[in-house]
Amino acid sequence: MEIAGQSYHTIWLDENDEINIIDQRWLPHEFRIVKLHSVNDVARSIREMWVRGAPLIGVTAAFGMYLATVEAKDKTNSALYLQECSQQLLATRPTAVNLQWAVHQQLHAILQADSPQERTKIAYDIARRIRQDDMNVCRQIGEHGIKLIEDISARKQGATVNILTHCNAGWLACVDWGTATSPIYQAHNKGIDLHVWVDETRPRNQGARLTAWELAQHGIPHTIIVDNVGGHLMQHGKVDICIVGTDRTTRTGDVANKIGTYLKALAAKDNDVPFYVALPSSTIDWEIGDGLKEIPIEERGDEEVLSIYGLHEGEIKQVRLAPQESKGLNYGFDVTPARLVTGLITERGICNANERDIKNLFS
Amino acid sequence: MEIAGQSYHTIWLDENDEINIIDQRWLPHEFRIVKLHSVNDVARSIREMWVRGAPLIGVTAAFGMYLATVEAKDKTNSALYLQECSQQLLATRPTAVNLQWAVHQQLHAILQADSPQERTKIAYDIARRIRQDDMNVCRQIGEHGIKLIEDISARKQGATVNILTHCNAGWLACVDWGTATSPIYQAHNKGIDLHVWVDETRPRNQGARLTAWELAQHGIPHTIIVDNVGGHLMQHGKVDICIVGTDRTTRTGDVANKIGTYLKALAAKDNDVPFYVALPSSTIDWEIGDGLKEIPIEERGDEEVLSIYGLHEGEIKQVRLAPQESKGLNYGFDVTPARLVTGLITERGICNANERDIKNLFS
């Protein structure tokens, strides 16, 4: 997608085959590009959320395994080293399943190769393919999801379609297009009148910082709201559809996504607002049937709750929000049961959030 | 209640009969007391939320009408001036009904008096009585509400009772005790093991700033969470009861409270967690039967959404959270339909949230 008129991806190889990423911690206040030179760099960039979003975490980890094959050449036991690197990468974030999917895919292929050179070549090709696939898949999600927006627009006779989204399931969470935003970008590009309600998404404000920023860069009308507002908007008919992303979806259609998604899904149900989840199939965990019981939910440090970063007189500063005596608790995700999900928008099409329909689509 | 071991109210007359308030905008970082010398001062203190919380707004406005009688003595048409002052005060905040209740009560009594001196005396007495009544009523709310906590504690055989609250319906929202916090303080004082989940309550963070602070001052175990977390906690059995306040309750039991309350009520219903609303009867609007259609919802400036205040190196600073290009929308309240409310905790006792039971309690 475009930033100030120039085309960007969230991760790319430059002319020297070095891995470049947008360091998303400083957005929207500063736009910084950094290079990842080592497995340690990659692990840190995922753990500290320089990159984030389930698809982008997967792609970045895939490049991490490519770097692992380069580093393994100097090790006496290179297979052991590759195993250790995969463990290091898997430990960075527990909830997103794309991370496991990408790392396991790499490890499986790499360990079958005969020479260090071949390992590196295989890992390089797989990382590039996973990256390219993510772009294709996100584009396809948009091609399917746009129909939902077109239908609402037609029903409203061209009046503005109001879409609510939570967190950032935009192109910044992927490589390009985004998942939840892909139908939105494509509908906007096609001239459909739409407007996005952007949940700020505390504690890390990925909505206010990232989604608002990427929508603004693309010229899409949007309004930032605090996470408390969505229910009120739905009660008053101001939301036509909710579209969110997911970090892990069970084979039965339960959806782990950024903390607070469940509350919006409840409000959507209570007000007959369609609630859709956009996802690449790499986000489906076919092993798991009960999202509430089986998906591990990341707990992060409470400083993200008690303090916040923002811009003050041109500088990014951290301010304390809470009393010095108080502690916080910081869960990164929650699980929305399938019964609250109207449908899943995937690269293969749209299906109901239940085991049979998901299997039918991907069999 | 106590601050650092010293007893305070949120509003009081000092030895010179001057009106003192705690300026709550700077809490928890700074504790500031200011004097209100004029109707303009009072209107500003309510509009700009130096004082806030439906009961305290009512009490402060009552003192504003007392100051109006003092100022009216210099006016050629003092009755007109008193009317104008009442309009000025009523216009400060639209949602809390206690404001109307207190101002109308004052105006009605004042305009029946024969002399300027008598008006001032009446207004002075009524303001002091409303203040004293608020303290009594809040204490009574606690005496009734404590039973709910005691029952849970007994059922859990003395294990910690986890209570979730939204915004600040604490003593800082009243004169003393608070509404939602009154049962909590009284249960804690009685030795019941409890813990409070404090919703930070964006955009103005009354939970993280005020509720956490007053609970900390009283030594009550608590944890600050972002507004997105409550649903997840309830899904996992970590909330035994929700208790919130209200700014206006219809005669049918619909509850207007701080934006986001509705989302927590939905989650409570979905997880069979009892959801109680604590209120003085001055908060009941007997004129209104449909909260969603009839309660005016305050819309505030979007700078509260796009920026936030916090402490940086010992100074309170405002930082920008959102991209410069983005706008926000800022509703102050939402309405929780009676069907989601387990019960109302009032100064007369606990009742179901429906017209018949509310009328029975107050007839």
Side-chain angles (χ1 to χ4, degrees):
Chain A
M1 306 299 289
E2 298 201 338
I3 300 170
Q6 194 181 334
S7 187
Y8 276 95
H9 294 137
T10 53
I11 185 166
W12 67 96
L13 292 168
D14 60 23
E15 59 275 17
N16 304 316
D17 264 353
E18 289 187 315
I19 302 159
N20 290 255
I21 60 162
I22 301 170
D23 182 349
Q24 301 187 21
R25 290 173 299 166
W26 315 105
L27 288 174
H29 312 301
E30 289 176 27
F31 180 69
R32 292 191 197 174
I33 293 169
V34 297
K35 291 184 198 295
L36 304 178
H37 295 292
S38 64
V39 177
N40 279 338
D41 280 359
V42 170
R44 190 175 172 205
S45 75
I46 298 173
R47 190 175 54 246
E48 297 181 4
M49 299 178 69
W50 308 11
V51 293
R52 20 65 56 203
L56 178 56
I57 288 171
V59 174
T60 309
F63 279 104
M65 287 305 295
Y66 154 65
L67 291 176
T69 65
V70 176
E71 293 173 13
K73 288 172 187 166
D74 301 331
K75 309 293 171 185
T76 42
N77 188 340
S78 61
L80 178 65
Y81 184 74
L82 288 166
Q83 291 278 5
E84 287 169 354
C85 288
S86 72
Q87 289 306 317
Q88 184 186 357
L89 291 169
L90 289 173
T92 51
R93 302 284 308 274
T95 301
V97 75
N98 312 53
L99 176 63
Q100 296 173 19
W101 170 85
V103 169
H104 287 148
Q105 202 179 143
Q106 282 278 36
L107 195 64
H108 180 76
I110 292 166
L111 292 179
Q112 291 181 351
D114 293 328
S115 68
Q117 286 70 23
E118 196 186 333
R119 283 180 177 165
T120 297
K121 183 174 181 324
I122 287 172
Y124 178 82
D125 288 344
I126 290 178
R128 281 169 49 111
R129 179 175 54 69
I130 288 178
R131 177 180 174 279
Q132 185 60 50
D133 283 353
D134 188 74
M135 290 194 276
N136 295 341
V137 159
C138 284
R139 187 178 38 72
Q140 289 162 351
I141 288 170
E143 287 165 4
H144 295 296
I146 191 175
K147 291 169 200 144
L148 299 169
I149 299 173
E150 284 174 329
D151 285 354
I152 295 166
S153 177
R155 206 179 61 228
K156 292 183 81 173
Q157 302 182 299
T160 310
V161 179
N162 287 298
I163 303 160
L164 183 140
T165 192
H166 190 69
C167 196
N168 175 262
W171 73 269
L172 289 170
C174 306
V175 180
D176 205 359
W177 291 109
T179 54
T181 56
S182 186
I184 295 170
Y185 284 125
Q186 296 191 32
H188 174 82
N189 290 352
K190 214 169 161 179
I192 293 174
D193 185 353
L194 56 81
H195 164 265
V196 182
W197 297 112
V198 178
D199 277 359
E200 70 168 344
T201 319
R202 282 277 288 146
R204 290 184 67 97
N205 275 23
Q206 291 94 334
R209 293 195 304 108
L210 305 178
T211 303
W213 183 78
E214 60 164 275
L215 293 176
Q217 293 292 329
H218 201 78
I220 294 189
H222 65 280
T223 306
I224 298 172
I225 49 176
V226 299
D227 303 308
N228 285 322
V229 171
H232 174 76
L233 292 176
M234 293 189 224
Q235 285 177 313
H236 291 272
K238 294 182 179 175
V239 179
D240 295 306
I241 184 172
C242 300
I243 312 179
V244 301
T246 168
D247 295 76
R248 191 186 300 216
T249 300
T250 66
R251 65 168 186 273
T252 53
D254 294 342
V255 172
N257 190 42
K258 183 55 55 194
I259 190 83
T261 301
Y262 165 56
L263 294 170
K264 294 301 141 61
L266 284 169
K269 188 74 163 185
D270 200 45
N271 294 284
D272 291 326
V273 173
F275 189 91
Y276 281 89
V277 181
L279 62 142
S281 56
S282 57
T283 313
I284 301 173
D285 187 339
W286 298 100
E287 307 292 313
I288 287 186
D290 184 332
L292 266 174
K293 289 195 184 139
E294 297 178 78
I295 298 177
I297 298 296
E298 179 175 7
E299 191 181 329
R300 300 179 59 85
D302 74 351
E303 71 281 357
E304 293 181 353
V305 177
L306 305 175
S307 299
I308 198 165
Y309 287 91
L311 199 68
H312 178 78
E313 294 176 359
E315 282 180 40
I316 296 175
K317 290 202 188 317
Q318 187 184 33
V319 296
R320 173 92 183 181
L321 302 173
Q324 300 298 336
E325 304 87 346
S326 298
K327 303 279 179 218
L329 185 66
N330 185 12
Y331 288 114
F333 303 89
D334 62 21
V335 172
T336 299
R339 66 183 153 87
L340 301 176
V341 177
T342 310
L344 306 176
I345 312 171
T346 77
E347 70 268 29
R348 296 264 185 108
I350 298 172
C351 72
N352 294 316
N354 65 52
E355 186 159 3
R356 196 194 58 199
D357 289 8
I358 296 171
K359 268 196 185 146
N360 279 345
L361 198 60
F362 288 97
S363 62
Chain B
M1 307 299 289
E2 298 202 338
I3 300 171
Q6 194 180 334
S7 187
Y8 276 95
H9 294 136
T10 53
I11 185 167
W12 67 95
L13 292 168
D14 61 23
E15 60 275 18
N16 304 316
D17 264 353
E18 290 187 315
I19 302 160
N20 290 255
I21 59 162
I22 300 170
D23 182 350
Q24 301 187 22
R25 290 174 299 166
W26 315 105
L27 288 173
H29 312 303
E30 289 177 26
F31 179 69
R32 292 191 197 173
I33 293 169
V34 297
K35 292 184 197 296
L36 304 177
H37 295 291
S38 64
V39 177
N40 279 338
D41 280 359
V42 170
R44 189 175 173 205
S45 76
I46 299 173
R47 193 176 52 245
E48 298 181 4
M49 299 178 69
W50 308 10
V51 293
R52 21 66 53 205
L56 179 55
I57 288 171
V59 174
T60 309
F63 279 104
M65 287 305 295
Y66 155 64
L67 290 176
T69 65
V70 177
E71 294 173 13
K73 287 173 187 166
D74 301 332
K75 310 293 171 186
T76 43
N77 188 340
S78 61
L80 178 65
Y81 184 74
L82 289 166
Q83 291 278 6
E84 287 169 354
C85 288
S86 73
Q87 289 306 316
Q88 184 186 356
L89 291 169
L90 289 172
T92 50
R93 302 284 308 274
T95 302
V97 77
N98 312 54
L99 177 63
Q100 298 173 19
W101 171 85
V103 169
H104 287 148
Q105 201 178 146
Q106 282 279 36
L107 196 64
H108 180 74
I110 292 165
L111 292 179
Q112 291 181 351
D114 293 327
S115 69
Q117 286 69 23
E118 197 186 333
R119 282 179 178 166
T120 297
K121 184 175 180 325
I122 288 173
Y124 178 82
D125 289 344
I126 289 179
R128 283 168 47 110
R129 180 177 52 72
I130 288 178
R131 176 179 175 280
Q132 186 59 49
D133 283 353
D134 188 74
M135 291 194 277
N136 295 342
V137 159
C138 284
R139 188 179 36 73
Q140 289 162 351
I141 288 171
E143 288 164 3
H144 295 297
I146 190 175
K147 291 168 202 146
L148 300 169
I149 299 173
E150 285 175 327
D151 284 353
I152 296 167
S153 177
R155 207 178 60 227
K156 292 183 81 173
Q157 302 183 302
T160 310
V161 179
N162 287 298
I163 303 160
L164 184 140
T165 192
H166 190 68
C167 196
N168 176 261
W171 74 269
L172 289 170
C174 306
V175 179
D176 205 359
W177 291 109
T179 54
T181 56
S182 186
I184 295 170
Y185 285 125
Q186 296 191 33
H188 174 81
N189 291 352
K190 216 169 159 178
I192 293 174
D193 185 352
L194 56 80
H195 164 265
V196 183
W197 296 111
V198 179
D199 278 359
E200 68 168 345
T201 319
R202 282 277 289 148
R204 289 183 67 97
N205 275 23
Q206 291 94 333
R209 293 195 304 107
L210 306 178
T211 304
W213 183 77
E214 60 165 274
L215 293 176
Q217 293 293 328
H218 201 76
I220 294 190
H222 65 280
T223 306
I224 298 172
I225 49 176
V226 299
D227 303 307
N228 285 323
V229 171
H232 175 75
L233 292 177
M234 293 189 227
Q235 285 178 313
H236 291 272
K238 294 182 179 174
V239 180
D240 294 306
I241 184 173
C242 300
I243 311 179
V244 301
T246 168
D247 295 76
R248 190 185 302 215
T249 299
T250 66
R251 66 168 184 272
T252 53
D254 294 341
V255 172
N257 190 44
K258 181 57 53 194
I259 191 82
T261 302
Y262 166 57
L263 294 170
K264 294 302 140 62
L266 284 169
K269 188 74 161 184
D270 200 44
N271 294 284
D272 290 325
V273 173
F275 188 91
Y276 280 89
V277 181
L279 62 142
S281 56
S282 57
T283 313
I284 300 173
D285 187 339
W286 299 99
E287 306 293 312
I288 287 187
D290 184 332
L292 266 174
K293 289 195 182 138
E294 296 178 79
I295 298 178
I297 299 297
E298 178 175 6
E299 190 182 329
R300 300 179 60 84
D302 73 351
E303 71 282 357
E304 294 182 352
V305 177
L306 305 176
S307 299
I308 198 165
Y309 287 92
L311 199 67
H312 177 79
E313 294 177 358
E315 281 180 40
I316 296 175
K317 290 201 187 320
Q318 186 184 33
V319 297
R320 172 92 182 180
L321 302 173
Q324 299 299 335
E325 304 86 346
S326 298
K327 303 278 179 219
L329 185 67
N330 185 12
Y331 289 112
F333 303 90
D334 63 19
V335 172
T336 299
R339 66 185 152 87
L340 301 176
V341 178
T342 311
L344 307 175
I345 312 170
T346 78
E347 71 268 28
R348 297 263 186 109
I350 298 172
C351 73
N352 295 316
N354 65 52
E355 187 159 4
R356 195 194 57 198
D357 290 8
I358 296 171
K359 269 195 184 145
N360 279 346
L361 197 61
F362 288 96
S363 62

